[in-house]
Structure formats: structure tokens, C-alpha cells
Amino acid sequence: MSSESPDTGDVGKPDGPAARIAQLKAVIAYHAERYYELDDPEIPDADYDKLLRELIEIERTHPDLITTDSPSQVVGGPRNETFAPVAHEMPMMSLHNAFGREELSAWSDRAVKRLEDRPVPAFATELKFDGLAISLRYEDGILVQGATRGDGRVGEDVTRNVMTIADIPHRLPADAPRVLEVRGEVYMRISAFQALNVRQVELAEAAGRPPKLFINPRNTAAGSLRQKDASITAERKLSFFCYQLGVVDNGPELTSHTQTLEWLGSLGLPVNEHSLSLASVEAVADRIVELESARHDFDYEFDGVVIKVDDLGLQAELGADAKAPRWAIAYKLPPEEATTTLIDIEVSIGPSGQATPFARLETVRVGGVDVSTATLHNQDQVAVKDVRPGDTVIVRRAGDVIPEVVGPVMSVRPDDSSPWRFPKDCPVCGQPLVRTDGVAATFCVNFHCPRQIRGRIEHFASRYAMDIEWLGEKNVDLFVSEGLVSDVADLYSLDFDKLLEFERFGQKLVDNLRDAVEASKTRPLGNLLFGLRIPEIGQVNAQTLAEAFGSLTGITGASVEDLAAVDGFGDVIAQSVHNWFRRPDTVDLIDRLVAAGLTTTAAERDTSQLQTLAGQVVVVSGTLDGFTRDGAREAIVSRGGKSPGSVSKKTMALVVGAEPGASKVSKADSAGVPIIDEAAFMALLDTGRLPT
Ligand code: IVH
């Protein structure tokens, strides 16, 4: 195995096919070692697949150059000699991949052709779990061995380790066959992975050193299973799904894969619930689209969909080639990780002054979109990941989550690189940045920083605050940079006719904007309070505050005790609100807003509804059919409930519509908060009860 770090692909390709094959073999061998032996891959699976595909493509056009030791001909990677070898009586094969609809159809066409005049077979579809394949062996119903796949013929004995996995039964029911080998995937739940990293941070903090974070659930699962000390495996809380049989002696007559899975489930083995048998390749393609859109709704990762000819007799007829069966294919979903060059690290200032480091990247396609910037979250994250300008980095974009830099590819780090330092001053206003002890974020605390002024005005005009149409980021930018507006009250004394002097404004736009600003004066007090960005006062608290006091003067005249007595508030919020209203610039701002004629009273509360959700917290995520986002919140609030933007232990239920936020779903899942659909939500509004 190569121990040197070769380049990862494109640079310096040699001319002839034989030379390129030799180079690809060396590069693939290096990465295979990191992946299979060290459980510490340097590049994403997609990059590895790309190298392998290039090799296969050259070999296809130059078959004379294929050797038996080519990575295209062998399954997986080699064994690690520290575990006892286990010869697989029935080899553990790999799967061929399909990237896209056409390759899927080509595979099914080939299968249909081989089956000659038989009707198109049914296809069993299931998730391709992102973990580590293992084979479990039960004799007379007792778990006697667990082995990794290894090179497909000989794997490693990890019996003691698999015994620590809660999903894996040690004993099967009395009617289990004399010998049963079952194959499946050991994986780590996302919630277990996140909990593990939280623990890593706690341990590091206690020891006063930077934390070493685990990169992703797959590598962590693989590394955790192959621990010499099985008690470490036990701590890592691994899970298991089974999907295939190995040797079976004295088992039942099974005719289909679907039946096999049902039988395995009846023996108490964990079978995934999302498997389906489908009648055509078109139905399979639809199912793939469905699963892809649900990719982030589950508490585990999957990187594809496995399609298997369901009938076991037809499987036997189709057989296998050297590496994989002809009766199955792995449809790979677009990779969510890719490598690219980190050009530079910059800091952006958010609307509240938060300074966030982000990476400027050589554009790369990941998670189905082109990415050229990715967040680095905060100063500590840059330090923990030690990413530097000039590094080749792994970028991840999962679903609608913003792209992030996972870490550097150390083996190709330039010799002259040096650690990146967080800037001392705000890149917008030049004032010093401030980081308070114990807080991860760094802030520009200059109240007059143009970015913050813009941020406050944008927030004030936003939909759930004063909802000022036509204002938009570009106009706010222009007004602030031209000195026309320096706080939200200035919007109401803006000389609209003067705007015609700017090229981007015509009469129509000016009129629309004037009307929109005028209309905003009628927004109820709750919206105004939310729009003012009072610390601790989000949308829900703003509404509560407006309802509790009824008017702006009621709030400005309230004592800390009055404020603390508001349902759900307490001392911290009360003090924050009290302080904010007593700041001299706030007093001036409020005076000018009142003088401009803004509404300073709360909206009439809808009391016609039965208070079915009195005191309850219900969170909504994703798009519902029968409610707008505001409408759903209104329906909850008018029944006495609250509907904040995030899930906590106090949440009664999470209502999910189309494309819900993955973080809310996984938080609800791990906090044991019931997740309900729209129909159950309607029933909940009516009765105050969750489905049983
Ligand atoms: S079937 C002979 N089904 O993918 C067929 N494999 O790339 C054996 N995998 O080695 C595999 N989910 O580690 C099968 N539902 C699934 C799977 C699955 C994940 C893994 C497995 C396999 C690899 C092939």
C-alpha cells in the first residue's frame, strides 16, 4: 500500500493510458487504505468514485491493460491484521453504481434482456445506508460471530464489538434455522453522532484543550466498530439494519427479497421500514425522487437507493460478475461532500453585528448546486478545523443547510501555509471587534456601523415585522450609503420625490414605496415591537408583550417587576426590555415613531376560539396545504398556545409540512417531541389532543 500522499486526481495527468492507469491505481490505493484500513478518509466518497470511474473507463477502452489486482476488479479494501481473519463461506459482494436515471434504465434493460422473454421483474427498493457492512452468524439461534466485509472473501472478526450494539439480538426465537448468516450495515444515528461531539467538546473543555471532533457519522461508525477495546464501541451507540442473507442452513423456503426481509424482521432483526417492492423501473425512479426529497428527514444518513430484482429465482439466473451481482444496483444520490481549494478566509458582519468567518472557495458542485462560499461559523471552529488559505478542503452541503467547510485535506497542504488569524477590526466600519469570555461569537459593537444600521432597517421592514414591501436590501443599502436614512424612524420622514434623482427609481416605484411605508403605520404593536430588535424579544415574545400591556405607553411605563410577571418572561427578559426602553437613543426613536403616526396599540385578540391549546407550545415546520406560515401560527395563538421558531423539551408537538427543517425534525426526534402531520394538526387545534 502506498504511504506517500499522492495528488487527488487531475493535476499532472500523464499522457498514455497505461501511465494514467498506473497513476490512478496508486492514488486509489492510497485513498482505499485511508478509507478501509485507517477509517480516516481524506477525500469524499464522490471524489473516490470519480477516480475509480476514470480507471474503469480507460480499462473499458483498453481491456488489455486490465490486471486482476486492479481496484476495478476487487471488492472494498484489505483487512487490518490486528483482528482475527474470518473467511466468508459465501463472499460478501459489493454493488455496481448507477449515477442518474439513464444508468438505472440501462441496468434494468440489461437485466430484462438476460431474462429473455420473461416479463419485467418486480424491483425491491431500499435505502443505501452509509455505514460499514458486516455479516452476523447465528448457530441454533445464538449469535456466534460478527465479521467485517474486508476484501469480500476474508474479513475481520469483530464479534465482541457487534455484541455491544443494542439493535443486534444475541439470541433468535426457537424456530430460527440451524445456521443463519445475515448481512447488513452498522451505522450511527445522527443524534448519537451529535451527542458524541457534544461530549467531545465537554471533555476537551474540562481538560482545557481544543476538542477533536468526529467528522461524520459514517467514518465514526466504522472507526467505532473496529476498536480493539469493545467497551469503546459500546459507548459510541451504534445501530444496525440488515438487508441480505448469507449462508442459511435449514431455513424456510423463501421466494422473494421482500419475503426475506419480512422473515428477518419476524426473527427480531432490525429491518428498515422504507423498503418497497415496485412493478416497473419508472415506479423505481419515482420512488428515488421521493426518497431523495426525504433525505434529511431521517435520523441516519443514506447516500443512495439500492434496487434489487425481487424474485430470488430470477436473482439466481442473473448471477454476478467478478465484483457485484447483476440483480442489484446502487443508485447514488448527488454527493453532499466535495473537495475544492480554499482561496481565502474573510469575515462578514451580520445585521446584529456578529462577525462570521467564511471561506471563499474555488467554485465546486456539491449537494446539487455550485458553491463558492461556505461558513466557518466562528473563531473557535476555524481553530478546531485549522483550515488555512491555500488548503484543499472538504465542503459539505446537506439539503437546504448552508454549505460548510468540514476540514482540510492535510496530505496536500502547501508547505508555506500558516494558521489563519481572526481580524481585530470590523471590515465594514473599522472599529475593534469584541469577543466576550465564554461566548463563541465575535461582534462589532459599534451601534453606528453601517452594516448594523442596514440590518436594523431590513429587519424592521421584514414580513413578520412592519412588512414594508418594495424596500428590499438594495434600496436600504442605497438609502444608508447616501445618508438618507440612519434609523427606522427616518423611513417616515423620507423625501420620496428626491428618490427620482436616482437612476433605479421611476415614479411607479417611488409611489409604491411611499404607499408601503404609509401602510406600515397600521401594523399592530406586536409587529412594531418585533421590528425594533429589542434584545430577547423575538416574534413570540413581542406578541406576548403587546397583549400583556395593550399599548406602547403601558410597556414604557412598566417596572421590571411588571415585565417579569408576564407569562413566560422572567427576570432576564424583563431586565432586557426595561433597559432597552430607557436608553436615550431608544427614547428619541420611540418619540419620533409615535410622532410619525405609527399604531401603538395591540391587535384585538381573537377570543372566539375555544382555548384548546392554552399554555401549550406547538412548532410548525415546512409548508402546509391549508395554512400559510402566519395562518398556522395564528391558529395556535388564537387557541391560547404559543408557536416559537424552534423545538425544545417543552414543545407539545412539531407539525411538519412539505420540506420541513431537518434540524427541527432531528431535535424533536431526540427530545421525544411527537412529530405530527397536517391532519393531526387540525385535530389538535379542535380537540387539544394528539393522535394516540
Ligand atoms: S446489498 C450482494 N443493500 O453498500 C449485495 N448493500 O456499495 C450486497 N449497503 O457493501 C449488498 N445499504 O455495505 C445492500 N440496502 C442495502 C445497502 C447496502 C448499504 C452497502 C453495503 C455494500 C455497499 C455496496
Side-chain angles (χ1 to χ4, degrees):
M1 272 270 138
S2 77
S3 55
E4 296 232 322
S5 48
D7 78 64
T8 49
D10 293 339
V11 272
K13 282 183 185 178
D15 289 343
R20 179 62 181 159
I21 284 183
Q23 189 190 45
L24 282 166
K25 279 183 183 170
V27 176
I28 290 169
Y30 171 79
H31 290 298
E33 178 182 15
R34 296 213 59 116
Y35 184 91
Y36 290 107
E37 281 197 63
L38 307 173
D39 293 321
D40 186 19
E42 268 193 357
I43 57 170
D45 292 3
D47 288 18
Y48 183 82
D49 285 347
K50 213 160 94 188
L51 295 168
L52 199 57
R53 280 164 76 81
E54 186 187 344
L55 176 68
I56 292 168
E57 190 49 36
I58 304 176
E59 287 179 343
R60 200 176 58 76
T61 45
H62 301 88
D64 52 312
L65 297 176
I66 302 178
T67 57
T68 49
D69 69 343
S70 168
S72 64
Q73 307 298 305
V74 294
V75 176
R79 286 174 290 122
N80 179 328
E81 297 300 338
T82 55
F83 289 93
V86 175
H88 298 298
E89 206 176 318
M90 188 190 275
M92 287 182 79
M93 293 227 249
S94 183
L95 291 170
H96 288 302
N97 292 327
F99 296 87
R101 212 26 244 273
E102 272 172 27
E103 293 187 12
L104 172 69
S105 298
W107 165 76
S108 91
D109 289 349
R110 280 197 303 276
V112 169
K113 199 163 156 207
R114 264 186 182 262
L115 296 173
E116 293 174 338
D117 48 6
R118 251 75 53 81
V120 176
F123 298 107
T125 54
E126 58 201 31
L127 302 179
K128 184 173 191 301
F129 312 105
D130 211 2
L132 182 80
I134 58 158
S135 183
L136 301 175
R137 187 177 167 97
Y138 290 89
E139 287 176 5
D140 298 318
I142 307 291
L143 175 62
V144 293
Q145 191 167 66
T148 64
R149 185 175 67 180
D151 64 6
R153 301 193 170 276
V154 180
E156 298 163 337
D157 187 335
V158 286
T159 310
R160 285 166 51 77
N161 308 67
V162 298
M163 293 242 179
T164 71
I165 299 176
D167 286 349
I168 296 180
H170 291 194
R171 179 187 286 272
L172 300 179
D175 57 349
R178 208 199 69 69
V179 174
L180 169 67
E181 266 182 26
V182 58
R183 272 105 196 240
E185 201 85 351
V186 170
Y187 67 97
M188 184 175 261
R189 288 190 171 269
I190 297 169
S191 50
F193 171 73
Q194 286 169 342
L196 184 62
N197 267 345
V198 167
R199 182 92 192 106
Q200 288 295 99
V201 172
E202 284 169 0
L203 288 175
E205 269 170 10
R209 56 167 168 78
K212 173 136 181 40
L213 297 181
F214 292 97
I215 291 238
N216 62 36
R218 198 222 85 89
N219 298 343
T220 315
S224 303
L225 185 73
R226 295 165 78 251
Q227 291 286 331
K228 286 307 279 180
D229 177 357
S231 68
I232 299 179
T233 313
E235 280 169 15
R236 301 281 173 86
K237 308 239 177 314
L238 298 175
S239 301
F240 178 69
F241 281 130
C242 56
Y243 46 65
Q244 206 63 39
L245 289 178
V247 173
V248 182
D249 178 10
N250 206 14
E253 277 300 312
L254 298 164
T255 58
S256 71
H257 181 68
T258 303
Q259 209 182 36
T260 307
L261 293 183
E262 277 165 15
W263 175 61
L264 289 172
S266 76
L267 292 177
L269 285 153
V271 179
N272 184 263
E273 58 188 339
H274 300 289
S275 303
L276 268 187
S277 182
L278 297 166
S280 68
V281 75
E282 288 76 24
V284 169
D286 289 348
R287 177 68 179 156
I288 291 171
V289 172
E290 202 171 272
L291 290 171
E292 185 173 359
S293 68
R295 191 168 181 182
H296 300 287
D297 296 350
F298 303 151
D299 190 24
Y300 46 84
E301 296 191 336
F302 60 97
D303 61 343
V305 178
V306 181
I307 301 113
K308 299 172 180 171
V309 169
D310 203 0
D311 187 292
L312 298 182
L314 297 181
Q315 282 190 5
E317 278 186 52
L318 286 164
D321 60 25
K323 186 177 176 183
R326 294 191 192 89
W327 45 263
I329 191 102
Y331 183 100
K332 297 289 277 257
L333 295 177
E336 297 190 317
E337 288 185 358
T339 48
T340 189
T341 307
L342 191 158
I343 301 166
D344 205 357
I345 299 176
E346 295 175 20
V347 164
S348 74
I349 303 295
S352 59
Q354 186 162 340
T356 306
F358 69 97
R360 214 166 261 302
L361 305 163
E362 205 80 74
T363 304
V364 63
R365 197 157 183 84
V366 53
V369 299
D370 287 335
V371 170
S372 53
T373 56
T375 183
L376 285 160
H377 300 290
N378 56 47
Q379 187 172 8
D380 292 346
Q381 285 286 310
V382 186
V384 167
K385 291 173 179 169
D386 185 22
V387 278
R388 307 172 180 189
D391 271 347
T392 298
V393 290
I394 298 171
V395 179
R396 182 175 168 82
R397 182 185 177 277
D400 51 5
V401 178
I402 47 172
E404 68 165 345
V405 175
V406 179
V409 180
M410 293 300 285
S411 64
V412 290
R413 167 165 281 172
D415 294 336
D416 58 353
S417 86
S418 53
W420 180 78
R421 305 243 170 270
F422 207 88
K424 290 199 166 36
D425 300 328
C426 170
V428 180
C429 68
Q431 296 292 307
L433 293 171
V434 175
R435 182 175 174 189
T436 315
D437 274 354
V439 177
T442 305
F443 284 90
C444 165
V445 291
N446 173 15
F447 190 77
H448 302 289
C449 173
R451 178 64 191 104
Q452 286 192 57
I453 295 175
R454 270 176 25 220
R456 284 193 294 270
I457 297 172
E458 279 163 16
H459 175 76
F460 184 79
S462 65
R463 198 160 137 220
Y464 300 114
M466 300 301 271
D467 195 13
I468 307 180
E469 247 192 297
W470 307 104
L471 194 53
E473 263 177 51
K474 283 211 174 86
N475 289 339
V476 173
D477 227 358
L478 179 80
F479 296 169
V480 174
S481 61
E482 290 294 326
L484 301 178
V485 170
S486 58
D487 65 23
V488 297
D490 286 344
L491 290 172
Y492 297 96
S493 55
L494 193 62
D495 182 352
F496 286 96
D497 293 329
K498 221 170 161 251
L499 298 181
L500 289 167
E501 289 170 16
F502 296 103
E503 211 180 317
R504 56 181 291 128
F505 282 98
Q507 191 61 50
K508 182 99 184 104
L509 180 53
V510 168
D511 290 344
N512 284 341
L513 191 56
R514 184 191 285 115
D515 292 349
V517 170
E518 193 57 32
S520 73
K521 293 181 181 172
T522 64
R523 307 280 177 254
L525 180 59
N527 292 48
L528 174 62
L529 293 172
F530 174 54
L532 289 171
R533 248 191 202 288
I534 305 166
E536 308 289 339
I537 300 298
Q539 220 178 333
V540 174
N541 282 350
Q543 207 56 46
T544 310
L545 195 56
E547 278 175 16
F549 293 93
S551 70
L552 190 57
T553 45
I555 299 169
T556 53
S559 65
V560 178
E561 291 72 35
D562 296 337
L563 289 161
V566 173
D567 189 21
F569 270 31
D571 291 342
V572 174
I573 300 179
Q575 196 65 59
S576 166
V577 174
H578 194 262
N579 289 351
W580 191 84
F581 276 104
R582 265 147 205 80
R583 282 167 39 170
D585 44 2
T586 308
V587 174
D588 171 63
L589 183 77
I590 297 287
D591 284 349
R592 286 158 58 222
L593 290 172
V594 172
L598 269 67
T599 301
T600 55
T601 50
E604 282 292 301
R605 191 174 177 162
D606 179 0
T607 51
S608 61
Q609 297 289 352
L610 266 181
Q611 298 296 288
T612 46
L613 295 177
Q616 298 289 5
V617 180
V618 179
V619 179
V620 182
S621 182
T623 312
L624 300 178
D625 286 336
F627 298 86
T628 60
R629 204 164 277 248
D630 274 352
R633 187 173 293 120
E634 188 50 42
I636 296 162
V637 172
S638 66
R639 285 163 179 81
K642 286 191 183 153
S643 186
S646 55
V647 173
S648 74
K649 275 195 215 124
K650 286 195 212 141
T651 308
M652 177 195 199
L654 172 68
V655 183
V656 292
E659 296 184 35
S663 63
K664 285 196 189 111
V665 175
S666 89
K667 181 101 186 278
D669 207 28
S670 52
V673 170
I675 300 174
I676 60 171
D677 64 8
E678 187 165 348
F681 175 49
M682 311 259 263
L684 177 67
L685 291 172
D686 279 347
T687 63
R689 281 195 299 274
L690 290 165
T692 44

